[in-house]
Amino acid sequence: MRKTIITFIIALMAMTCTAQNFNDYFSGNTLRLDYVFAGDRNSQAIYVDQLTQTPGWYGRRHNLDSLPLEGNGQITVRDAKTRRVIYRHSFSTLFQEWLATEESKSTPKSFENVFLVPFPKDSVDITVDLFDYHQKTFASLTHKVRPDDILIRKINRPQNPYSVIHPAKDTANCINIAFVAEGYTKDEMASYIDDVKIAVDALFSHATFNKYKDYLNIVAVESTSKESGTSEPGNGKWINTALSSHFNTFYSDRYITTLHLKQLHDQLVAVPYEHIIVLVNSTKYGGGGIYNSYTLTPAKDKSFRPVVVHEFGHSFGGLADEYTYSNDDPMYFPDTEPWEQNITTKHDFSKKWGNLIEEGKAGLVEGGGYLVNGVWRGCETCRMRVNEVDDFCPVCQQALERLILFYIIRN
């Protein structure tokens, strides 16, 4: 694995040598892009909701026109004059997950989505693309953003206090992670901070995150709720919380999410963040993690430690679930190689963990991505498969390390 990682580092360094300078195109602020993704199984569309400027930029300042992972969707920022790509971002969304449900066949719905890009110095054209399970574009929108547009909302004052839980050694070159409280009242903030510390300890008990912990800057945002806990529609329980989270997403008992992404990002104004972990004040088992969107995990459940790391594997690492259900309603197909780095259909496998097979550290074990057949994982057990293991498998460790290096290596 060491030889492969070194090769990956050299490739990144070569890429950054020819990349554009951040300061040539961007200010030190953030452009928050609020969109509405709407439609049903047969027709989908993307709409601009609102644009916001917030202080500070806490994402990467190098590898700006590159992507570490393809994702289920992408944002491309082009300089309006030269048409040069000056920033790219990839993601996944609940909207795309929902399109695979039975409900989407007959009932159109809309979903909020929020993305962050560096605030441009000059006019830019921003393109948003959504991909299907064959990585074909099924919805696209391009719109112009002028930095002097008077209707770009400016927010400079933080809504919530926050504390630094784990400082990076160099905050100018780090990965910014923000914890957000959900379902904790003002009187329960001390309990929330304790839960954050447990989650951070859980992350650092895993080899890859521990190896690069000096590059992780972790803060805890004290977003208070009027009521304690979270909504459980299956039990007829609806309560008033900061993010309006709830179980029973897509009618799955243990799938907990928030559909209110604008509320989520409103809690984070003027906070150093790029990746988000929401802790929910609940004892019920469940979780949710969406690539480059958020992790959301009940903090009082007995499986909290492994689950919060597993879900962060989704939201930060873009890792797929490795457990199986059946071959009904597949998300992966023989003619398309998954963009997630820990599963394969064997369609185009060579760049994933072929090196680990040669080293005898991994193999090809059938079953993954919810499918019993036709998808393979690298090892029998892994944090992305079961809770009862100590760490990620070598395949996931390698994928996480490659991703971290993409974020921290600069020219």
Side-chain angles (χ1 to χ4, degrees):
M1 184 191 302
R2 179 176 174 81
K3 180 179 179 181
T4 301
I5 295 299
I6 291 174
T7 302
F8 183 75
I9 292 173
I10 292 172
L12 278 180
M13 292 178 67
M15 183 168 57
T16 58
C17 288
T18 59
Q20 71 273 20
N21 188 309
F22 178 91
N23 294 323
D24 289 344
Y25 293 95
F26 302 108
S27 72
N29 294 320
T30 294
L31 175 62
R32 173 178 144 180
L33 303 163
D34 294 4
Y35 296 104
V36 174
F37 296 171
D40 57 22
R41 182 77 66 89
N42 299 315
S43 178
Q44 306 86 31
I46 303 169
Y47 303 95
V48 177
D49 182 3
Q50 67 179 358
L51 307 179
T52 305
Q53 178 181 309
T54 59
W57 168 249
Y58 301 104
R60 67 187 190 273
R61 292 173 178 261
H62 49 270
N63 298 333
L64 298 175
D65 58 357
S66 304
L67 292 174
L69 299 172
E70 292 298 310
N72 289 328
Q74 294 178 13
I75 289 177
T76 304
V77 182
R78 292 180 174 85
D79 178 76
K81 294 179 181 178
T82 65
R83 304 298 301 156
R84 180 179 184 180
V85 174
I86 57 176
Y87 187 78
R88 296 180 71 197
H89 175 73
S90 59
F91 57 85
S92 295
T93 70
L94 269 176
F95 175 65
Q96 289 158 291
E97 287 186 35
W98 174 78
L99 289 175
T101 68
E102 190 69 20
E103 183 183 42
S104 72
K105 294 179 180 179
S106 58
T107 306
K109 280 193 170 183
S110 65
F111 288 73
E112 295 179 0
N113 286 277
V114 177
F115 306 106
L116 309 177
V117 302
F119 199 90
K121 289 183 175 180
D122 296 307
S123 294
V124 294
D125 294 314
I126 298 179
T127 299
V128 183
D129 293 307
L130 302 181
F131 308 137
D132 63 17
Y133 293 138
H134 296 277
Q135 296 177 351
K136 305 294 185 182
T137 301
F138 68 81
S140 183
L141 168 72
T142 298
H143 63 104
K144 189 176 293 293
V145 174
R146 295 182 291 104
D148 59 352
D149 186 343
I150 62 172
L151 295 182
I152 296 178
R153 188 170 59 124
K154 294 180 174 61
I155 304 179
N156 297 311
R157 185 174 301 175
Q159 179 169 327
N160 301 297
Y162 70 90
S163 54
V164 178
I165 302 298
H166 175 81
K169 281 197 172 181
D170 179 7
T171 55
N173 185 40
C174 67
I175 298 168
N176 286 287
I177 303 168
F179 282 83
V180 180
E182 167 66 341
Y184 294 82
T185 64
K186 185 176 181 180
D187 294 337
E188 294 173 318
M189 278 299 112
S191 176
Y192 160 67
I193 294 299
D194 288 343
D195 292 338
V196 171
K197 292 177 180 178
I198 292 171
V200 172
D201 183 69
L203 283 174
F204 290 161
S205 71
H206 291 69
T208 308
F209 292 122
N210 186 65
K211 179 178 179 180
Y212 292 100
K213 65 182 180 180
D214 287 346
Y215 290 94
L216 303 182
N217 194 67
I218 304 175
V219 303
V221 178
E222 298 181 21
S223 45
T224 58
S225 295
K226 292 183 178 180
E227 297 182 87
S228 181
T230 187
S231 295
E232 300 178 19
N235 296 322
K237 178 182 176 183
W238 290 96
I239 64 174
N240 188 349
T241 59
L243 306 179
S244 303
S245 67
H246 63 81
F247 282 93
N248 301 102
T249 301
F250 306 153
Y251 300 96
S252 172
D253 180 63
R254 71 183 191 183
Y255 196 8
I256 179 172
T257 64
T258 176
L259 302 179
H260 302 273
L261 297 192
K262 292 196 290 185
Q263 285 179 223
L264 172 57
H265 285 266
D266 284 346
Q267 305 293 336
L268 289 160
V269 173
V271 173
Y273 80 100
E274 183 177 19
H275 302 279
I276 304 169
I277 301 176
V278 179
L279 297 190
V280 184
N281 189 15
S282 173
T283 59
K284 182 176 171 65
Y285 178 77
I290 305 165
Y291 176 54
N292 274 344
S293 185
Y294 62 80
T295 283
L296 200 150
T297 310
K300 304 301 184 182
D301 175 68
K302 62 182 181 180
S303 299
F304 171 46
R305 288 177 63 96
V307 171
V308 71
V309 179
H310 172 97
E311 300 299 349
F312 195 59
H314 289 312
S315 72
F316 172 77
L319 299 174
D321 282 318
E322 295 185 10
Y323 51 82
T324 61
Y325 289 130
S326 69
N327 273 32
D328 297 333
D329 300 319
M331 299 169 60
Y332 304 100
F333 299 90
D335 65 348
T336 305
E337 181 64 28
W339 60 267
E340 298 95 332
Q341 297 300 294
N342 61 322
I343 60 173
T344 181
T345 58
K346 297 184 180 180
H347 179 72
D348 184 16
F349 169 68
S350 59
K351 294 180 181 179
K352 288 189 172 178
W353 66 89
N355 64 303
L356 297 179
I357 292 177
E358 292 177 1
E359 296 169 12
K361 297 178 180 179
L364 289 168
V365 181
E366 193 165 20
Y370 317 120
L371 300 181
V372 176
N373 306 112
V375 172
W376 288 262
R377 61 190 190 275
C379 300
E380 186 62 41
T381 62
C382 177
R383 172 63 67 233
M384 299 310 296
R385 181 171 172 83
V386 296
N387 291 330
E388 296 78 19
V389 294
D390 294 330
D391 209 340
F392 293 99
C393 70
V395 171
C396 289
Q397 288 186 34
Q398 175 174 268
L400 288 168
E401 185 165 16
R402 287 172 174 175
L403 183 61
I404 290 171
L405 291 173
F406 176 86
Y407 281 116
I408 67 175
I409 290 181
R410 59 181 178 180
N411 50 336

